[in-house]
Structure formats: structure tokens, C-alpha cells
Amino acid sequence: MKFETPATENPIDQLKVIGKATDRVEGPFKTMGRARYAYEWHDVAKNPAYGYVVGSAIAKGRIRSIDLSLAKVSHGVLAIVTAENAGKLGKGEFNTALLLGGPEIQHYHQAVALVVAETFEQARAAAGQIRIEYEKAPGAFDLAAAKDSAPMADKITGGVAASKVGDFEGAFAAAPVQLDATYTTPDQSHAMMEPHSSLAKWEGDKLTVWTSNQMIDWGRGDLAKTLNIPKENVRLISPYIGGGFGGKLFVRADAVLASLGARAAQRPVKVALQRALMPNNTTHRPATIQRIRLGTTREGKITAIGHDSWSGDLPEGKPDGAVHQTRLLYAGENRMTATRLAVLDLPEANAMRAPGEATGMMALEIAMDELAEKLGIDPVELRILNDTQVVPDDASPPSKDDPQDRKGDTAANQAGKGKRFSQRQFIECLRLGAERFGWNKRSAKPAANRDGMWLIGQGVAAAYRGNQTTKSAARVRLDSRGGVIVETDMTDIGTGSYTVIAQTAAEMLGVPLNRVLVRLGDSSFPVSSGSGGQWGANCSTSGVYAACLKLREMVAQKLGVSATDAVFSDGRVRVGDRDVPLGEVAGSAGLVAEDAIEFGKLAKEYQQSTFGAHFVEVGVHVATGETRVRRMLAVCAAGRILNPKAARSQVIGAMTMGVGAALMEELAVDKRLGFFVNHDMATYEVPVHADIPHQDVIFLDETDPISSPMKAKGVAELGICGVAAAVANAIYNATGVRVRDYPITLDKLLDGLPDVA
Amino acid sequence: MSKVSLTVNGQACDLELDNRTTLLDALREHLHLTGTKKGCDQGQCGACTVIAGGHRINSCLTLAVMHQGDSITTIEGLGTPEKLHPMQAAFVKCDGFQCGYCTPGQICSAVAMLDEVKAGIPSHVTADLTSHPQLTTDEIRERMSGNICRCAAYSNIIEAISEVGRGEI
Ligand code: FES
Ligand code: FES
């Protein structure tokens, strides 16, 4: 079905199942250890061989020679795959660097060989016997050094690279109150708990890969493209995914090498990337340098707002879209944004949870805190004062037939003037949050509160993340006993897809939740939105909605009635005085409906976004500078919340990742050798139990009929946007030390801390 | 290759293994008990936590041959589909997981951790070493910090463990 006009009342609005805090339907499998992840399919391939990946020891250059002689005769070795013997490989549309390097090396730990052996231990031992001689080439590894010569990027996700409205330079120069500050965010790693893993099995020229991938159809296409085989010959299966956060959006070396290894060894092969290989072998969130300029009246009204951002990537790579939210979040007549992209020879930069806004809000929301202090206005009030109900800078995505859009020039922006948000309860989030958090008890003066050795402070930040919509299909079967099976290639990466999809089908067809079986993550199922960009829940359930609507029509047709007259509830369908069990209508053959949701012009006519506010309290130890997060509250306005329990979990997870970004997460770059030094889970620090207090999340009551028939939006990424800045602002409030360089580790605070008394 | 006999979830298992095989791989690759997860294979994440002789250990950091005669409990040994272990049930109720990959390790760790508190073993945050440690949230957080959850269900995991702990201690 096409979704082109705002949703009116529909069966989802009954809210008998949707909107309930249902336990996850797959919960028992996961807690019993029975959910099967990519490396765990012992029954489909009885005797798989094991692959072990060898990563490049240099960042840039060439392999001069590769000596496999010892490895080949090592115990149990069945095959060794290298670029030399792998045949001609293509490159996936979503990949920047090749997944099997050699002789040219594009980045450190780029895979250069796969050793396949009878056992894991044998493969690992043999991998250590491969002797490679490299010829190093000089590379660029330092963003700060490359910054000034970095050219403007082509585009950012969801828009043009640069935009202008009014006369920013003039207005900023004339503003009585000005802030001009530069912030830096480091490279970050997804560090999902399940390593990228694949089991590949060939049957003739048909390939099946059990893998761990967020976007089944993208993965299927790119694996086929890389292996130079038809897409139809590839099947991907990925029902459980041990976390992704953007790191499993694309086909990675595990899938390609397992496939090549299985072809070479003529046996199913499984490969999991070794943990220590992951940060350099796969993708990461790139570091940014961001300059923010804000000019206001004495009363605090923004008259000029400017955001420049720099990031780096391999040649042909992508920039981080850190300026995105600055076009949409605050009012102001005169504006500019610009995104520059340096060529760096570090590993491939790419999407990580809320790419763009996650980093952009880390900078913008400290800037707003600094501005509030300059103005002597409460930071909550400053944000409210600069709210806008229309889009201030509509820098639409570039399109081929409109060259103007590429520049995001003023003419294009004028056209978008007056464009409204489908829903924007930003002020409500701030006000409710302030009330619940007890914001009025905060002292505006920094370093004014102390609890023993701990300096106590509170911080606030806005949360903003776009809501994207994309086509999603599903197939729904009704059997003769009234059971329902939903099939779609949608994935559940911990997001709760199984549960919200089951809830959607149960609501639409009027059957109990436990009569719905959801099957996900198989490329033989209809193509869904997949999981990314916080679009998964809204789009995939809308696809299921469409298929269920079709099934309702089929049921009505069988009964010879109109679907609008039929009432579906308690596993029965009622029309007038007829009351028939659904299974009976389906009959022994059952009924099958397949449909997709396709989003139309509403996405262009309205700006669809999610909003929120983060409130954080920290304690900073006066002697050591250690920061402890004491309290966290997020208030979110994100359309209809399909399952408050799963949605809350998404938000607390994102809040925690934001604490990581604020306090500890940083891939340390070796600028001489060109790699991330701390490439494992002990040295790339992520929050653990002891770092995180109880977290509170409030969802505003909201439905967004412009977004989809579900009237829902995404929420999983909103939760991370702004958190790090709220922590940073709380640290400032606690200590009076303003750190503009993430993560805020104790060494950056020590010098500025008050005397220990 | 060496022969090793283990009792896993109450069942005797005789294996012939490469000496280099970790306990984790013996479970996952040889006994096909894949509930125990491999997150890092180097002792950094806790996904591989199992209970060996009543103590929680990282099964990736120990070789199977070092466990001759040992009794091992994995996630598969804690509950059944008909009757979840109270910790498993509490995790489901409190949504103490998302992707589920750290979950078996969290649950095994939590079960053994409660026994440690019961036995009076202090932790880094126990204020008074001479009295019996209390099951405060700070104690649980400290004692569970070897089990990373990147989905970060921490707040909910603490609720689940507290709920079970209140019933037990
Ligand atoms: S797999 Fe053993 S600690 Fe990570
Ligand atoms: S549930 Fe995903 S890592 Fe814990």
C-alpha cells in the first residue's frame, strides 16, 4: 500500500495489544541460551571447517610477498584464501574499502588472508605461520593536520553538505552576544557483543550464509556483487543478531571470507572476526572537529547560527553528518552549515548509532550551555526561547535533476520555508523533564555544590533525531486453526522487532499475541526496511500492517462482506450476526497475504523528527577528577510508543552509550603507524554495570499520523543524541571546568578542580 | 590431543580434545552447547561466564583439559522452557537484555554472584569487611561489572537481580 495521506483511525488505534509493555516474545529463548546466533548453526552444517582471519600489519602500502608454505603444511589446514587466489572480486555498494586486501593495502587490519582448517585451534596456529612482507607507503592519519586542506563534502546522509540561509556572517558580526567555540569528538567503536560472524555453505552455485547482519537485502546484494555471482544465488539467514549499532549494516569480511573459504575447502566454513581485529578491520564512527558560532540578542534570541564540521575517511568515503540537526533544532534568521571531508588512511569510517546527530549534538548542546551562561539565562529556558515550529533551514537531499540542491543554496531553502514538523513537542519534553528532575534546585553557579569529596552538578541537553521512512514488505499467513505466521526479512538486533511485529499482527487480526509466530532475518522472506537509522520498528510494523490489511480483505471477501464492516477480535471475525472463527474462514489451505508499505510525499511535505530532553546529575571527585553519573532522565517525544518496555530499553541503552561517549569511549589513533591502538574490549572502554545508575525514561503521549499508519516513529537513536553533552554540562556545573574535547577523562579536569579542603 | 571428562549440567561428557581447546570452545563447538557466548575470547567481556564447581569463571580463559572431573553448569542447565530459573524469569520480566548475546553470561554470573554474597565474600565496595555484605544495588553493580552489556540493559539487569536476591537472601 502507498502511504500518501495522513493516517486516519485504523485497527491499530484499538490499542488492545499495541502500546502495551509486553515482555519480549523471544525472551525465554534468549535467557535460556536457545536463540541461535550466526556461529551456532551446528545442525545445518554437520562438519564445518573453521576460518581464521589474518589482518594487514600496515596501514597503507603493498604486500611485497606472502609466504604460505609453512601455513599450508600446518596441521589440519584445508585451504588458504588470499587476494592472489580468490579470483576476481567486486566491491559492495555499501563498502568503501575492499574486504579482502592485497596486494594493495588500504587500512590496518584489512583482511589479507583466511586460513581454513579442521579446527579453530589449527586455523589459528596456521595463521601465525603466514609470513608477509610489506612495502609501507606514507599515509594521512591525523584529522587535525588534514583539516585545513579538507574540501567540502558532496553530501551528508539526509541532506546537502553545506547550506546557507540569510546572511550569517553579517548577523554574527553584529550580534551583541557571541559564542565561537570548537569541539572535538574522537573515533568510536560499535563494540557490539557478538563479533561479526558467518557460516557459509555452497550447494552447486547456490550460496547460503548464516550471518549477523542488520540489513538482509543490502547484505545479499553486496555479497553477490563482491563474489560476482547473481543475487538470486545468495541466501542470507540472520534471525538473531548480537548487537549491531550500525556496525553490521553492511557485509563485512567474515561473510565474504567464509564464502570464499567454503568454496576453496569445498566444505561449509565458519568465520568470526577475532575481537582484537574488529575495531580496525570493520567500520567505526569517525572523529570530528566542530566549530559552532552562535549570535544572539541581549535577550537570548538567536540571530545567527553556524556549524562547521570536519571528519575524515578513506578515498571515496563519507563524512559524518554532524551539522544535520543544526538546520532544524533552533530558530534564527541567519544560518550556515558546512561539512568538510579529509582523506585519511585510517580504517573505514561509517555509520554508528545516530550517525550525524550523535556527534553533532555532542558539540551543539555544549555550545548552548556555554551560551546560556554568557547570557545569564537558564539553559532550559534558552532552548525554549529559541524553539521553532517551522523548519528554519530545509536543506533537502541532493537529487540528480536539481543541481541547485547540491549547493543547498538560498533559493532552495526559500522553497522550503514554512515547512512544518509533523510533530514537535520539544518544549514539552524540556518542561516536563525539568519538573521531574527537580531542575529548579540546580545552582546556576558552577562548583557550588558539594557532597563530601564529591562536587555535584546537573546538566541538560536537547535530544533530536530525524525520523526516516523507507519501504518495507511482509507476508502474513493465517492457518486453519487461527494461527498467524508473519514473515519478513526484518532483523531484531535487540530492538524488539519480534515483539512489536507480533503485537502489530495480533492487533490487526484480532488474535491473541501467543497465536502469532514471527519469522525474521531470512532473505527468502519479503524485503523489509531492515534495522538502521531508527527506522526499523515504525517501517517494518507498517509493512506488517499493510499485509494484515490485505489479509483482512481476503477474509471479508471469503465471507462475501466488506472488510470495513468486519470486526476482528478474539480470534473471530464478526459481521452483523455472523460470528466465525478466523481459522474456519482460512480453511485447510489457509490464507496468505503479502504487501509492502511505500512512503510517499508526506515525507517531503513535512519534516519528521523525534525530540527529547536529557537531564543528568554527576559527582566529580574533588581530588581525583573521577566522574560518576548519579542520575539520568530522558523525556522523549517520538510518536506512538509501540511497546513501552522495549522502547525504554532502547532508550536506556542509548543513554548508556552516550555516557560512554562523554566519559570514556575513544579509539586512540597511532598517528605514525595509522591504526587504532586500543582495539579490544579491555582497552576500548565502554560503560559497565558500575558506571550506570538507575535510569528514568518518560515518553510523551504522542501519535504522529503523518509518519505512518502505526503513527509511530523511531526512538532507539534519539536516546543517544544529546546525552554526552548533558553529562559534559553537568561536569561543568559540578566543577567549573569546561571541557570541549571528548571524552571527558579525569586528566582534562584535574588542573581546574578547586582545592581539596 | 587429550581425553577429558566433565560433568556438564549433570551429564557426564567424555571428550577427546586438542590441548589448546578452551572450556568455552569445548562447550560450544564440541558439545554444541551454544548458550554460552564468545564475545572476545580473551577474558574481557564476561559473555562466556559459566559456573564451574560452584564458582563463576570466564570459560574462554581456561583450557578444557584443566577441568578434568569438574562439574560445569551452563545457561542450558539452569532452567527449562517449562520452568525457567527464577533469574531467567526475572530477566524476561524486567527486560534485562536486548540483543541477548551477553545474557547467558549475565545470568550465570548473577546466579553465582548471589551465592558469593550469601557466603559473605566481600567486594571492593563493601564498607565493613567484618560484617556480612548486604545486597545493595552498589554491591550488585560492582560484582557484575565483569559482564559487559553493550546494549546496556544494566538498569534493568540490576532490577532483575535485586528481585531474585530479595527472595533469596
Ligand atoms: S568471551 Fe570470555 S570474557 Fe569475553
Ligand atoms: S543484551 Fe546485547 S549485549 Fe547485553
Side-chain angles (χ1 to χ4, degrees):
Chain A
M1 68 178 272
K2 292 228 186 316
F3 182 71
E4 280 175 326
T5 53
T8 51
E9 197 177 333
N10 68 42
I12 294 297
D13 295 320
Q14 299 172 91
L15 300 181
K16 286 185 193 161
V17 198
I18 284 289
K20 298 271 188 285
T22 313
D23 290 347
R24 278 170 210 259
V25 296
E26 83 288 9
F29 297 111
K30 285 181 176 169
T31 55
M32 285 190 299
R34 293 190 184 200
R36 209 100 63 86
Y37 299 81
Y39 206 74
E40 300 171 354
W41 294 87
H42 286 292
D43 52 342
V44 300
K46 286 273 176 293
N47 188 22
Y50 291 78
Y52 197 89
V53 182
V54 180
S56 164
I58 63 164
K60 191 175 158 77
R62 294 177 68 76
I63 293 178
R64 197 181 293 142
S65 66
I66 180 159
D67 177 2
L68 304 178
S69 55
L70 281 176
K72 269 188 181 156
V73 297
S74 187
H75 280 294
V77 170
L78 301 166
I80 301 176
V81 178
T82 66
E84 237 172 11
N85 63 25
K88 195 174 152 32
L89 297 179
K91 180 163 82 71
E93 238 165 82
F94 294 93
N95 298 128
T96 303
L98 295 174
L99 297 177
L100 177 59
E104 198 205 333
I105 297 297
Q106 295 167 295
H107 64 87
Y108 186 78
H109 272 178
Q110 183 173 30
V112 293
L114 179 82
V115 180
V116 180
E118 289 287 347
T119 71
F120 175 71
E121 294 77 22
Q122 289 169 335
R124 183 179 55 192
Q129 308 267 33
I130 296 182
R131 297 281 168 266
I132 304 178
E133 274 187 56
Y134 296 96
E135 196 176 299
K136 266 199 229 170
F141 309 118
D142 184 352
L143 177 62
K147 171 179 172 264
D148 289 339
S149 57
M152 198 70 80
D154 283 345
K155 58 175 182 175
I156 58 172
T157 309
V160 292
S163 64
K164 273 194 173 106
V165 179
D167 168 22
F168 169 78
E169 301 290 342
F172 182 70
V177 181
Q178 296 173 339
L179 178 88
D180 181 349
T182 297
Y183 306 86
T184 58
T185 65
D187 297 284
Q188 295 175 345
S189 187
H190 309 86
M192 72 296 276
M193 285 292 282
E194 181 205 22
H196 303 74
S197 311
S198 293
L199 162 65
K201 179 178 168 183
W202 292 88
E203 279 156 313
D205 58 359
K206 300 266 192 286
L207 171 67
T208 305
V209 182
W210 288 263
T211 189
S212 185
N213 191 297
Q214 299 174 225
M215 301 291 297
I216 297 300
D217 193 59
W218 292 3
R220 185 186 187 203
D222 266 1
L223 184 56
K225 195 160 179 245
T226 308
L227 298 174
N228 287 313
I229 59 176
K231 189 174 171 183
E232 307 78 70
N233 289 8
V234 176
R235 181 170 172 200
L236 291 195
I237 299 178
S238 189
Y240 287 104
I241 294 143
F245 314 113
K248 292 176 182 168
L249 285 168
F250 320 115
V251 157
R252 299 298 316 167
D254 56 302
V256 170
L257 292 176
S259 304
L260 292 170
R263 186 148 72 188
Q266 304 208 337
R267 220 166 113 176
V269 167
K270 58 183 186 175
V271 176
L273 294 186
Q274 302 94 266
R275 175 59 63 178
L277 210 56
M278 285 167 61
N280 286 289
N281 176 274
T282 69
T283 61
H284 65 280
R285 189 202 298 284
T288 66
I289 299 171
Q290 301 180 50
R291 180 186 187 193
I292 295 197
R293 284 173 289 173
L294 300 167
T296 72
T297 64
R298 291 201 194 288
E299 295 72 40
K301 280 264 185 205
I302 295 174
T303 52
I305 180 166
H307 194 162
D308 291 271
S309 174
W310 290 261
S311 65
D313 198 0
L314 290 164
E316 322 279 306
K318 300 196 249 187
D320 185 82
V323 304
H324 186 77
Q325 73 289 320
T326 306
R327 297 170 184 163
L328 298 154
L329 188 52
Y330 297 117
E333 284 294 302
N334 305 286
R335 333 176 54 96
M336 65 77 59
T337 60
T339 309
R340 290 179 180 78
L341 175 61
V343 171
L344 294 181
D345 299 295
L346 289 170
E348 177 172 336
N350 220 316
M352 177 168 148
R353 201 170 200 164
E357 286 99 315
T359 43
M361 295 291 279
M362 285 169 82
L364 178 64
E365 290 299 292
I366 295 186
M368 287 298 282
D369 202 62
E370 296 199 54
L371 181 65
E373 191 181 34
K374 266 192 180 209
L375 287 159
I377 298 180
D378 180 89
V380 172
E381 293 307 321
L382 177 67
R383 289 175 172 88
I384 292 173
L385 183 66
N386 287 291
D387 184 50
T388 173
Q389 291 296 316
V390 292
V391 172
D393 177 0
D394 183 31
S396 307
S399 65
K400 278 197 202 82
D401 49 20
D402 186 359
Q404 295 287 14
D405 268 352
R406 264 182 98 79
K407 285 186 251 106
D409 69 341
T410 319
N413 290 320
Q414 293 302 341
K417 245 202 157 125
K419 179 165 161 181
R420 299 193 71 83
F421 293 88
S422 60
Q423 286 278 1
R424 182 177 165 118
Q425 298 204 63
F426 178 43
I427 294 181
E428 290 78 356
C429 290
L430 285 162
R431 288 222 192 282
L432 182 66
E435 184 199 312
R436 294 291 172 85
F437 190 75
W439 184 252
N440 59 4
K441 294 194 201 74
R442 167 186 177 268
S443 148
K445 199 166 128 302
N449 255 310
R450 210 158 147 170
D451 173 6
M453 291 297 276
W454 295 91
L455 304 165
I456 310 298
Q458 293 84 18
V460 66
Y464 171 91
R465 175 69 174 153
N467 178 61
Q468 303 172 69
T469 47
T470 183
K471 185 177 172 185
S472 195
R475 183 161 57 221
V476 184
R477 294 170 195 280
L478 176 64
D479 68 28
S480 62
R481 285 162 304 154
V484 175
I485 297 178
V486 185
E487 290 172 333
T488 163
D489 84 354
M490 180 60 190
T491 49
D492 190 330
I493 60 174
T495 35
S497 311
Y498 278 105
T499 312
V500 292
I501 285 174
Q503 286 177 280
T504 303
E507 190 82 76
M508 288 301 291
L509 301 173
V511 299
L513 194 62
N514 63 11
R515 299 309 314 275
V516 182
L517 178 68
V518 180
R519 293 196 184 132
L520 300 180
D522 186 329
S523 63
S524 66
F525 299 156
V527 176
S528 72
S529 62
S531 302
Q534 79 167 8
W535 63 60
N538 182 38
C539 297
S540 69
T541 55
S542 295
V544 173
Y545 170 94
C548 288
L549 216 54
K550 207 175 207 178
L551 190 74
R552 286 167 65 108
E553 274 158 25
M554 292 167 83
V555 168
Q557 204 173 19
K558 270 201 123 184
L559 291 174
V561 300
S562 135
T564 45
D565 298 336
V567 178
F568 291 74
S569 77
D570 307 315
R572 307 176 73 87
V573 52
R574 295 189 191 87
V575 198
D577 46 11
R578 285 172 75 189
D579 184 348
V580 195
L582 267 183
E584 198 173 292
V585 186
S588 56
L591 285 175
V592 184
E594 184 174 331
D595 202 0
I597 186 97
E598 286 178 78
F599 296 91
K601 58 188 188 323
L602 285 175
K604 289 211 173 61
E605 286 172 5
Y606 291 87
Q607 174 61 38
Q608 299 184 18
S609 304
T610 58
F611 295 89
H614 289 289
F615 293 82
V616 172
E617 179 173 294
V618 301
V620 180
H621 195 276
V622 68
T624 66
E626 177 188 2
T627 298
R628 308 286 308 162
V629 177
R630 297 188 155 204
R631 287 199 292 145
M632 298 185 84
L633 166 68
V635 184
C636 304
R640 172 174 282 151
I641 300 302
L642 302 173
N643 179 332
K645 191 179 264 195
R648 177 176 176 280
S649 287
Q650 285 296 292
V651 176
I652 65 171
M655 288 159 80
T656 303
M657 208 176 264
V659 171
L663 298 179
M664 61 194 87
E665 292 187 36
E666 172 178 24
L667 286 166
V669 181
D670 183 319
K671 295 188 183 112
R672 301 157 308 145
L673 300 178
F675 74 108
F676 300 131
V677 181
N678 48 341
H679 50 80
D680 60 31
M681 293 195 82
T683 53
Y684 181 82
E685 289 185 25
V686 299
V688 300
H689 277 283
D691 297 317
I692 301 299
H694 172 78
Q695 294 161 315
D696 285 312
V697 180
I698 300 172
F699 295 113
L700 292 193
D701 203 2
E702 178 176 298
T703 50
D704 192 338
I706 294 181
S707 166
S708 76
M710 302 302 292
K711 304 176 186 171
K713 287 190 283 207
V715 74
E717 298 188 334
L718 177 65
I720 194 175
C721 298
V723 185
V727 174
N729 297 338
I731 291 174
Y732 176 74
N733 185 246
T735 62
V737 185
R738 183 67 78 180
V739 180
R740 299 183 184 85
D741 173 32
Y742 289 101
I744 307 174
T745 44
L746 46 80
D747 50 301
K748 297 174 188 170
L749 295 171
L750 274 177
D751 283 348
L753 291 180
D755 288 339
V756 183
Chain B
M1 302 289 279
S2 296
K3 285 193 178 4
V4 58
S5 304
L6 310 168
T7 305
V8 180
N9 301 328
Q11 282 198 315
C13 308
D14 296 312
L15 292 165
E16 188 165 347
L17 295 173
D18 188 318
N19 290 354
R20 298 167 293 189
T21 308
T22 60
L23 177 60
L24 174 62
D25 282 335
L27 293 168
R28 279 170 65 82
E29 305 305 326
H30 296 267
L31 295 172
H32 296 184
L33 290 170
T34 53
T36 308
K37 304 303 180 197
K38 186 187 274 191
C40 68
D41 211 15
Q42 51 191 123
Q44 301 172 336
C45 75
C48 63
T49 307
V50 298
I51 305 170
H55 299 289
R56 49 181 176 157
I57 59 167
N58 286 341
S59 61
C60 73
L61 277 192
T62 187
L63 298 173
V65 291
M66 295 158 67
H67 290 274
Q68 172 61 34
D70 281 2
S71 237
I72 314 286
T73 303
T74 70
I75 191 72
E76 290 93 343
L78 284 182
T80 61
E82 297 72 41
K83 197 172 179 337
L84 292 180
H85 183 282
M87 193 64 79
Q88 292 168 323
F91 267 64
V92 173
K93 181 180 157 214
C94 300
D95 213 30
F97 57 92
Q98 293 174 37
C99 76
Y101 201 77
C102 75
T103 313
Q106 300 276 359
I107 291 174
C108 287
S109 188
V111 167
M113 182 275 290
L114 289 182
D115 287 340
E116 289 163 19
V117 176
K118 229 188 269 179
I121 300 169
S123 84
H124 174 66
V125 300
T126 310
D128 177 5
L129 295 185
T130 56
S131 58
H132 198 93
Q134 299 299 302
L135 195 68
T136 61
T137 48
D138 279 351
E139 282 281 2
I140 302 177
R141 286 191 188 111
E142 171 63 25
R143 290 165 190 267
M144 290 298 294
S145 281
N147 289 87
I148 294 176
C149 176
R150 185 56 161 163
C151 297
Y154 295 131
S155 192
N156 295 351
I157 294 173
I158 296 304
E159 268 170 47
I161 299 175
S162 304
E163 201 162 285
V164 177
R166 273 195 300 272
E168 280 190 2
I169 291 179

